[in-house]
Structure formats: structure tokens, C-alpha cells
Amino acid sequence: MSLKDRKRFEPSEVEPRIVARWLESGLFHPEPEGSPAENFSIAIPPPNVTGALHMGHALNGSVQDTLIRHARQQGRRAKWILGTDHAGIATQTQVEKRLVGEGTTREAIGRAAFIEKTWEWRAEFGGTIIEQFKRLGASLDYEQERFTLDEGYVKAVLKVFVDLYSKGWIYRDNYMVNWDPGSGSAISDLEVEEREADDTLFHIAYPLSDGSGEVVVATVRPETMLADVAVAVHPDDERYKDLVGKTVTLPLVGRELPIIADEYVKTDFGTGCLKITPGHDPNDFEIGRRHGLPELSAIGEDGRMTDLVPQFEGLPVAEAQAAVVVALDEIGAIRAREPYTHTVPFSHRSGQRIEPLISLQWFMKMDELAAPAIAAVRDGKLRIHPESQSRRYVDWLENIRPWCISRQLWWGHQIPVWYRDEQVYCGATAPEGDGWTQDPDVLDTWFSSALWPFATLGWPDETPELQAFYPTDVLSTARDILFLWVARMVMMGIELTGETPFSDVYIHSVIQAPDGRRMSKSLGTGIDPVDLIDAHGADGVRFGLLAMSSTQDVRFSEEKVAQGQALANKLFNATRFVITNAAEGIAPAASPQTVEDRWILSRLGAARADFAARVEAFDFSKAALGLYDFVYGELCDWYLELIKGREFDDMLSAHLLHVLRETVVLAHPIIPFVTEELWPHVGGEGLLAAHVAGDVVAPRDLDAEREVERVIATVQAVRSWRDAGGVKPGAFLAARCDGLDDELVALVARLARLTPVTDDDRAPVAVIPVRGCQVELLEGVDPQEAAAKVEAARKALQGEISRAEGKLSNQGFVAKAPDAVVAAEREKLDRLKAELAAL
RNA sequence: GGGCGGUUAGCUCAGUUGGUUAGAGCACUCGCCUUACAAGCGAGGGGUCCCCAGUUCGAGUCUGGGACCGCCCACCA
């Protein structure tokens, strides 16, 4: 169907065609040439391989694609690096669920078969999100898709492990970890979230071994007492000073525990006596190490009681607690119990309560890695937007602790360490000889993600891609993985490549549900961006999400998406109007003949400059809304209406095509589909996505802007009078126009539906003053209506005049305000008085 | 317990270094199928800028205090 006959832009019909053309063109896969300084690259935050597109992906995709397309328009070779993350725990959990559905378990089929199953799972579901990104119009390099477990990537990960191991920064230790019973694995501090829980605080009496009394300790975890190794008091606590050095006898167990002094203990909390359980409490662990205390484990990695106290062996933790309480009650050791609300750690992944326990794990030393990552931000080599986030970044890095990098999973990079008797071997490949067993653990998924910007480009090999596109330019992501991922990429990037892996980090908004709650599947508050694309088109979704975004979290509003859809449709119809009227076979060219022609060129230039500045400042909301204002408020509402009375000669046709063509270019980074569709109709050649716009912007024409602004103000004033006076919209009214030259009068007359007269000396029924000129309506308006309107206008003017006079008679204002402000106030007063006089 | 951000029209949000009568989109009211678009066009109504105090000739904007909401960090049993 010809464009002229399509009354509406139909995204569902257009989008698949456009995507196909983009993909065929090879445009999204730039050759690795040139230098990183002249090229532009972004590495996408790798979505989980089995994930589906959610609102965060859609917003972040819109942001990154806008940046990438903007860079392409500037003639930069732009590469948006694509790939997915193997997502250890998340993927393993899904595959395990499937196995259960098939009546088996991962333990039953064994490690090798399980990993094979997981690769099958990836083959089956791994492509979903990539296809969804295509629907969004994301101009990712689909020809070079990476995976954090592909061959080259594995090579990079193993090399990093081996290198940092030999540097002594990766080590194995028995240490307190966050044990997640849900995934059966240790997890890092960052994967723990605090939640409020209602518990009971038990006060338990520990008798002194010499029979001279007792001390009372408070705990919400009575079952951990089985692993107590000491009781601590504050060294300055007068109540207990004399007890330090004595021992108590642990109830139920009979072990003698020393009473020690440690400044950690708060004298004003509870009883001032703290039971020390290094095996099951992070603080107690630290205290235990300070005092050289033994580390006992009452709870095992299976979430059941160990054989430390045979009476409770094998009981799940919750049952053990009940049993311990019963036993303590029997001997009358519980002095008090009170309800207690506090925060306790939960696994972010499995949602289960974290069990702190001591475990043999791999750790990475972070201090030396953190220092240059802090310096990068301090020196301005790395800029974080919004700026307020850089403080969070620095604070976290300054207080960084060792990172537990081992996970008791099967799906991931297996730790490249082998054991044989007392021997330990670390290397990228298995050691020679028999009898070696590889460490069964895999690396934290974030260990491999930390290498993302360079491992995806072929590091550690000096590939052409690495030379052309690394370091990358921008990293765009949500706030919640600033530490988990961004900071670690910076640390690893600087350590391994000597370069900050990107120069700008953009932290985008989190989009909440319309009611302000979190968008989540489990709450039922999620909105599927693909459904939105179906309903409003990808352009509408992109525009809407960008227009919503901000420097903080925002609520989702479908109206903004609809606004974007309306914009796409508006641009489509504006183009349709121009090409149905323009002379045939005319090439676009700026050829202004009239004041409005000059005006729109000036406004277009301003819109372009503004758009570029907004995008480069990561202010996508303003970029999108500014585009909307230009297209609606200036191009369609005024310019196209202003030219409608004119003959579409060659010069006007060429000029209109030029304006439309440049508008389509301007809008392309945000609404690529409709603009690509229109491109050939406004004289564009090839793909708009490949079009280099350059950055030369025509100088503003302020004279034309002033004149057309007067026309607009006059038209609006007359329309307002007509409407208030009940004039039929179609009627042309005779009017005298003073203070405007003929060209402007003609414009006003057409848009306000006036018949300008000069030889009619009837008395006006209404006088409309506006910006130094006035329009006298000679007919149409009902005299009474007119009188009421005049009265209202007079009242408003008088209000303003007295306000201005009051200001100017205020000595403080005249004496202290800047001269320009005072002068402006005087000018305004004069203008108001003139307008009042004209009424 | 610390830190950060927010509070402006019915809703979602703008508001530059303090300076016209505080804006937009959506919603609402009235009028229009005016030959690009009724998913459109025109004209309107609607605000105690969270509260209190202060600085200033002048405060939505700056300062102090408070209230409420959200987020981040944190080892009080």
C-alpha cells in the first residue's frame, strides 16, 4: 500500500520488515578497525541466558540503543557487544526443577550428565531474550554473540584465576561464610539481604564452674549454644570485672567456657554478657580469632545438627532449637524469654534464611584491587551518572572485604585446582600424572562477569576487536549491581588490561509498578515489555521508558508509552501530508522563502543541539520530551499549519522535505522504526540507521523566531476571544490588524480565520492587544460577551500592574536587585499599561 | 544506627545560577470530522509548591528543624 493511503502508522506491520533490513545490512557488526578513541562501544549487561525481557532490560536497552545510534549518526564506528550470562545459581535451579519434574535429581544423574542437560536447556531457551531485544530495535552486534561459558571465555576466566592465585590474591581458607541452605552453597555478602523477623530472645543462665553464682546471656539462637566456646564481657564492666578469667559450665553440654574480656561487648545491651559461638556468628568468629578460641560447629552444611552433641545430632535447625529450649527448661536454665524483632540475613537467591557457618572456601583479596578503582573515580577517568552514585561506589570500595568466590554448584567455571594427597596444583589444565582430583566447586558467576568488557572482545589474546573497541565508552545498568558487577569490572579491568574498562557509568532508574510497589512476577506487579510492544509499538515503548526515566526510581506509566506511540504516528502523518502535497521528483533542500520557513529551520537547529546535549548528558527524559515538543509543538501545530495556505511550488516542496528529513534523522535514535520507514519518502538513501548526520547545526535566526512567536501569540489570543464569544469555528471575521506587517497579518488571518480589512471603519466589537500589536474584531463576537471578556482582561492586567508598581515602589527592590531585573520590571509595567490603555 | 533521594495540578513528572501571574503529558470541561493524523484539532478549568522557623528587596528554588515515603549501607547478642 502506498504511504499516502496509510492513515496510521502500524508498528506490527512495519517493525518485522525493518528489523530484517537492519540485520541483513550487517550494519550492527562493525569491522574491527580504527581506535577505541574514535570508535564507540558499549558492552550490554549480559542477561541471564534463560531469562526473559523485563522492564529493566527494556529501559536499559532503549538507553544503550539511543547512545549507540546517536554515535553512529556522528559517524563513529559503533559496536554494542552482545552476550548472555550462564547465571550459575539461577540456571542450575531451573534445570534442577525440570529434573524433579522428570522424576530424577541432579545427584542421581551425576555431574557430567547434569552439565550436559544444562547445555541442552540453554540451547532450548537461551535465544528468547535475544529475539526480544531485536523486537525492541536494539542494534546489538548479533553476529558476535558471547556467552560467559563459551570456549574463549573459559580460557580468560581460568587465566585470571591462575594468575591471581600465583600472585597470592586468591587463597583457600576456613572462614565464616553466608551459607544458603536453599542452594546448598556459600554466597557472597552482596547476595544477602536483611529482612525483619520476629524471634524470641532467650535469657539463659550459665553457672560459674566454682559454684559461686551464674551469668545470664541472651540469644535468639539457643541451639547455637552447643557450640559456645566462651562468654565475653566488656573489660570495663564493673559488674563482671572479677569474673574475667573464671569459667562457666555450659548447660546441657558440661564444657567449661572461659569468661573473657572484649571491647566488642556492649555494657548497655541485654545482660552485658555475650555467649561466644565462633562457628555460627560472624562477630563471634572475629572475637574467637582475636582470642585464639576453638571453632566448633553445631550445625552442618546440610542444615542439620552435627555430632558435636549426640543428643541433638541430625535434627533440623528449627527442631533442634525447640529441643534445646525444652532441655534447658527441664534444668530451669531459662531465666526469661521476650519477643524480639530484629533483622536477619536471607539469601537473595533462594529466599532462605542464611546460616552463618565456618566453611573451607576460596577467597579473593580485594584491597589492592580496590585502590586503583577508587582512584579512577577520584581522578575523573571514570564518571558515574548521576554523580551521587560515585560516593556509594567509593564508600563501598574503601570498606571492601575479601570476596568468597567459590560456590558449591555444578553449573559454572570449575575451580582450576587439583589435589593429590597433600599436594595442590593450580593451572589452566589438569596436572600430569594419576590420582589428582579437581576441586568440585565452581566460581561465583560474578567472577566471570567481572571480565565482561574485555573477555567478550577476545582478551587475553590481542585480537583486532580488543584493539578497536576496548576500552569501551559507556556502561549502563541498574543501581543494584553497582558493587556486584560494575565495581568488580573496574577492578579487574584495571588489574588485567591496565585500562578503566569504560569511561562513563550510567545508572538508570528502576521502574516500579504503577502503584509504587516493586515490579515482580511473584507480586503479580510485573508488566511484560513485549506485551507493551504489541500494544503500542517498539517506538512507543522506547520513547515511553526514556521519557519516564530519571535520576531516581520512577513509577511506570503507560500514558508515556502511548505518548510515544502518538509521536510516531504524528511524524508518520506529517510526512504523509508533505509527500502528498509536495511537487513530484523534488530533492530535499533548505530553501526558505518566508519568515516561517526561516523560523522552522532555526527551531530545528535548536532542537538538534538540545537533543545532542541531552543524550550526551545522559538526560534521556529531556531528550525524548524535547523531541516530542519540537514535533508536536513547533513542526506540526504551527509550521505545517502556517504553510497550508501556500502553493506547493518546487522551493516549498524542497524545503518541506528537508525539514521532514532532518526531523526524521533527529528522532531516529529514540524512535528508529517509524523514522526508518519514512526515510526513503523524505529523500533518504540507503538505511537511515547507517546515515551520518554530522554535527553542524545551522545558526539560530532570532529575528524569524521573534516574528513567528508574535504570530503565534496573536493567533492564540484571537482564538481565545472567538471561543469565548461563541463564534463558529469556521467563520471568517472581518478585522483590522495594527502593528504587524502584511506577511505576518496574512499568517495570523489564516490561522485565526480573519478577513483583514483596511477600508471598513465600523467600530470594533473587540480589541485584542498582544505584544505591541492589536487586532480589532469588527464582527462576530457578541458585545456582551466581549464586554465581559474585556472586563476580565482588564482586571487581570490591573492585578499585574499593581503588583509591578508595588515592586518598583519598594526601595529595597530598586536599590538591591540587579539593574537588569529592575529594568525588565519597568519595561513590563510600561507594556502592561499600554495594553490596558488599548482595551 | 548511619547515609542518600523524594514530597509541586486528579495521576505521572519538569522547574537551570533565588527574579514575569509555577509548567508539560495524561485525565477532566466546552467546541470542532477546519482537505496529514478523531489515536486528531482549538479553547478552557484545575496548584496553601509537605509543615514550621529563618536568610533576602524578593524563596517552589537557599539555611535550620520537623513529618511522611522510598532506597542503600551496617556485626548490638
Side-chain angles (χ1 to χ4, degrees), chain A residues 114-169:
Chain A
F114 178 80
I115 287 170
E116 200 176 311
K117 279 270 182 198
T118 310
W119 281 103
E120 286 169 19
W121 172 274
R122 175 192 182 246
E124 199 172 333
F125 299 103
T128 306
I129 195 162
I130 306 252
E131 291 309 308
Q132 291 173 323
F133 270 114
K134 288 179 186 167
R135 286 210 57 193
L136 190 67
S139 55
L140 284 149
D141 186 353
Y142 297 98
E143 291 175 44
Q144 208 163 46
E145 181 188 332
R146 298 301 305 268
F147 182 50
T148 53
L149 267 176
D150 69 31
E151 199 181 324
Y153 212 103
V154 169
K155 184 177 148 192
V157 168
L158 297 186
K159 175 183 164 51
V160 172
F161 188 98
V162 173
D163 287 356
L164 295 185
Y165 177 89
S166 26
K167 259 185 127 161
W169 290 3

Side-chain angles (χ1 to χ4, degrees), chain A residues 320-587:
Chain A
Q321 175 172 130
V324 167
V325 168
V326 167
L328 287 171
D329 267 333
E330 277 171 9
I331 59 169
I334 297 186
R335 290 286 172 271
R337 52 188 99 201
E338 52 183 304
Y340 190 66
T341 303
H342 62 149
T343 59
V344 293
F346 279 80
S347 164
H348 198 72
R349 273 283 160 223
S350 70
Q352 299 226 17
R353 193 161 165 166
I354 292 296
E355 198 61 68
L357 46 81
I358 295 171
S359 175
L360 184 58
Q361 301 284 344
W362 288 94
F363 293 87
M364 193 190 292
K365 223 174 122 179
M366 302 305 289
D367 301 333
E368 277 136 300
L369 286 164
I374 294 169
V377 166
R378 293 235 164 102
D379 302 347
K381 270 192 273 178
L382 177 64
R383 295 173 292 270
I384 302 180
H385 315 267
E387 214 278 326
S388 59
Q389 296 298 321
S390 47
R391 207 176 122 189
R392 275 184 68 219
Y393 169 96
V394 169
D395 283 351
W396 183 74
L397 284 172
E398 283 178 341
N399 297 299
I400 200 160
R401 303 204 301 187
W403 173 15
C404 175
I405 55 172
S406 48
R407 295 290 180 276
Q408 288 65 57
L409 304 173
W410 286 353
W411 178 240
H413 298 268
Q414 193 170 349
I415 287 174
V417 173
W418 284 260
Y419 310 101
R420 184 169 66 185
D421 305 322
E422 294 304 301
Q423 295 172 276
V424 176
Y425 172 85
C426 176
T429 52
E432 300 283 320
D434 295 329
W436 290 95
T437 318
Q438 188 174 2
D439 192 300
D441 290 354
V442 301
L443 289 166
D444 181 3
T445 301
W446 297 107
F447 185 99
S448 52
S449 319
L451 318 180
W452 187 247
F454 42 97
T456 47
L457 293 171
W459 187 92
D461 297 334
E462 267 299 320
T463 60
E465 283 79 9
L466 201 63
Q467 282 165 9
F469 298 112
Y470 186 84
T472 65
D473 292 272
V474 178
L475 190 283
S476 175
T477 187
R479 204 179 37 222
D480 57 347
I481 52 177
L482 183 63
F483 309 144
L484 220 44
W485 187 47
V486 179
R488 287 168 178 169
M489 273 191 289
V490 177
M491 290 188 277
M492 295 299 244
I494 295 174
E495 167 67 19
L496 300 165
T497 70
E499 309 241 34
T500 310
F502 26 75
S503 48
D504 292 87
V505 173
Y506 173 64
I507 307 286
H508 68 246
S509 299
V510 172
I511 298 184
Q512 300 165 332
D515 61 7
R517 287 188 295 168
R518 213 183 176 74
M519 249 195 209
S520 91
K521 251 186 207 162
S522 51
L523 287 173
T525 50
I527 296 173
D528 186 345
V530 175
D531 291 343
L532 280 179
I533 293 175
D534 289 340
H536 298 284
D539 289 332
V541 171
R542 294 167 60 112
F543 175 94
L545 295 179
L546 292 175
M548 264 175 249
S549 70
S550 154
T551 52
Q552 59 170 52
D553 294 352
V554 293
R555 296 183 180 198
F556 178 77
S557 90
E558 192 157 350
E559 286 79 23
K560 282 278 185 293
V561 175
Q563 196 184 340
Q565 181 183 15
L567 174 64
N569 189 54
K570 192 74 175 173
L571 200 50
F572 181 83
N573 274 295
T575 305
R576 211 160 63 83
F577 168 71
V578 167
I579 63 172
T580 44
N581 289 290
E584 293 283 325
I586 297 292

